[in-house]
Amino acid sequence: RLSSEKGKGTMAELWLPVTSRAAPRHDDANAQAPCRDAAQGLRILVVDDDVLISMSTVGMLEDLGHEATEVNSGERALELLAQDRPFDLMITDFAMPRMTGVQLAHKAREARPSLPILLATGYAELPTGSDLPRLSKPYHQAQLGEEITKLMSGRTG
């Protein structure tokens, strides 16, 4: 969990599960494979002005088998999209300086009308016109993978 307060700084909390069970051995035939997103190998553009959040998201995406490109502004994201870089999906923060994630999505759709876009936000209410699929912050890797799968299979909600 990441939280930031102006004038006080940023706090990072890491929550680890507690268990008395032994970890499964890698050569154990009954060990479960790690949970992976059904839509693997996607090229994903990650847009977030908070470097810690974008680094965390990129790490989760790479663990899920995706290739992630990280940028820290809507303007830079639009530059990459204008260069015709091959992206299968864009994940963007909502609250960013100079351009919100919703504004970025509208401009990105001008260049790439069929690009799936996932809005990651901590805001409960968004302004009208923000009909994008949403991923509520903070999120875990399983939630991120599930939302990507839903979005890429055409199911939103």
Side-chain angles (χ1 to χ4, degrees), residues 76-95:
R76 182 67 183 131
L78 292 172
E79 288 172 11
L80 292 182
L81 292 172
Q83 293 172 5
D84 248 359
R85 298 271 302 266
F87 293 110
D88 301 305
L89 167 68
M90 181 171 72
I91 300 173
T92 182
D93 183 23
F94 170 72

Side-chain angles (χ1 to χ4, degrees), residues 2 4 44-55 57-58 61 69-75 77-78 89-108 116-127 130 132-139 144:
L2 296 174
S4 184
I44 301 175
L45 179 59
V46 177
V47 188
D48 200 309
D49 63 308
D50 187 315
V51 177
L52 291 176
I53 292 175
S54 60
M55 284 174 35
T57 301
V58 166
L61 290 169
T69 301
E70 170 188 0
V71 296
N72 299 112
S73 72
E75 293 87 356
L78 292 172
L89 167 68
M90 181 171 72
I91 300 173
T92 182
D93 183 23
F94 170 72
M96 297 184 292
R98 297 179 303 280
M99 183 184 310
T100 68
V102 173
Q103 292 168 329
L104 170 59
H106 289 299
K107 290 182 181 199
I117 300 172
L118 181 60
L119 186 67
T121 180
Y123 289 93
E125 296 295 323
L126 293 177
S130 53
L132 297 168
R134 289 179 31 178
L135 175 62
S136 295
K137 287 182 178 180
Y139 50 84
L144 179 61

